[in-house]
Amino acid sequence: LIPDKLIFRREPITGGEYYVFFSKDTTEKIAYKYMKDKNVSNANIEHNPKEALKNTTLVESWLITDPENDKSTQYGYTLPVGTWFGIVRIEDKSEYEKYVESGIVKGFSLEGYFSSKLVQFLDTKLSYDEYILEEIVKLLND
């Protein structure tokens, strides 16, 4: 997880496009919470709990403090201070071949509930509360 890196998102209901990012501080908090909550063996495909990966474990985890001398450089990376880096081991050879060697899986995505106060959506002039109320009314009318 690279601090301050813009991550593209599309709001599924309105189709509004926007970017999110995690500050260096937030990245650190996420990394520590992930470890504290003992999530090192929780992995699945595309955020689908029905496609859980067995025998998959985050075996190394660290925050980069010195990019020039960080262990990640051994793997060909040049990443900024505050980046959360990890090494995952997949014990099941068939899952490794199916997902990693085949190229189906090229990286990781954090799964969690991240919230912040939205003032308004980019493609509407509604406040967050107005938007939610409008969506509830639509559901009730369907």
Side-chain angles (χ1 to χ4, degrees), residues 109-120:
S109 174
L110 283 176
E111 186 170 329
Y113 181 73
F114 301 96
S115 68
S116 61
K117 185 174 179 176
L118 298 176
V119 177
Q120 69 181 140

Side-chain angles (χ1 to χ4, degrees), residues 55-114:
N55 300 313
T56 301
T57 308
L58 178 67
V59 294
E60 294 186 48
S61 171
W62 67 92
L63 294 164
I64 294 176
T65 58
D66 178 2
E68 291 180 21
N69 298 305
D70 190 78
K71 183 177 181 174
S72 62
T73 61
Q74 296 173 27
Y75 302 106
Y77 293 92
T78 305
L79 299 164
V81 169
T83 296
W84 179 24
F85 201 94
I87 297 175
V88 173
R89 182 173 176 97
I90 302 171
E91 296 288 338
D92 186 326
K93 186 174 166 88
S94 65
E95 282 194 344
Y96 183 81
E97 291 168 350
K98 179 179 178 182
Y99 295 112
V100 180
E101 287 183 354
S102 70
I104 290 172
V105 172
K106 294 182 172 74
F108 293 91
S109 174
L110 283 176
E111 186 170 329
Y113 181 73
F114 301 96

Side-chain angles (χ1 to χ4, degrees), residues 7-60:
I7 305 165
F8 176 78
R9 291 287 180 260
R10 180 175 285 117
E11 209 283 294
I13 297 169
T14 67
E17 297 176 346
Y18 59 97
Y19 290 87
V20 298
F21 69 94
F22 299 103
S23 69
K24 184 176 144 189
D25 237 18
T26 300
T27 299
E28 181 177 298
K29 288 175 185 174
I30 291 168
Y32 290 162
K33 181 168 177 25
Y34 186 88
M35 300 303 280
K36 180 182 174 189
D37 291 350
K38 299 179 173 95
N39 283 315
V40 295
S41 294
N42 294 337
N44 58 48
I45 300 298
E46 297 297 332
H47 303 287
N48 183 349
K50 292 180 181 176
E51 288 195 57
L53 295 172
K54 299 175 186 91
N55 300 313
T56 301
T57 308
L58 178 67
V59 294
E60 294 186 48

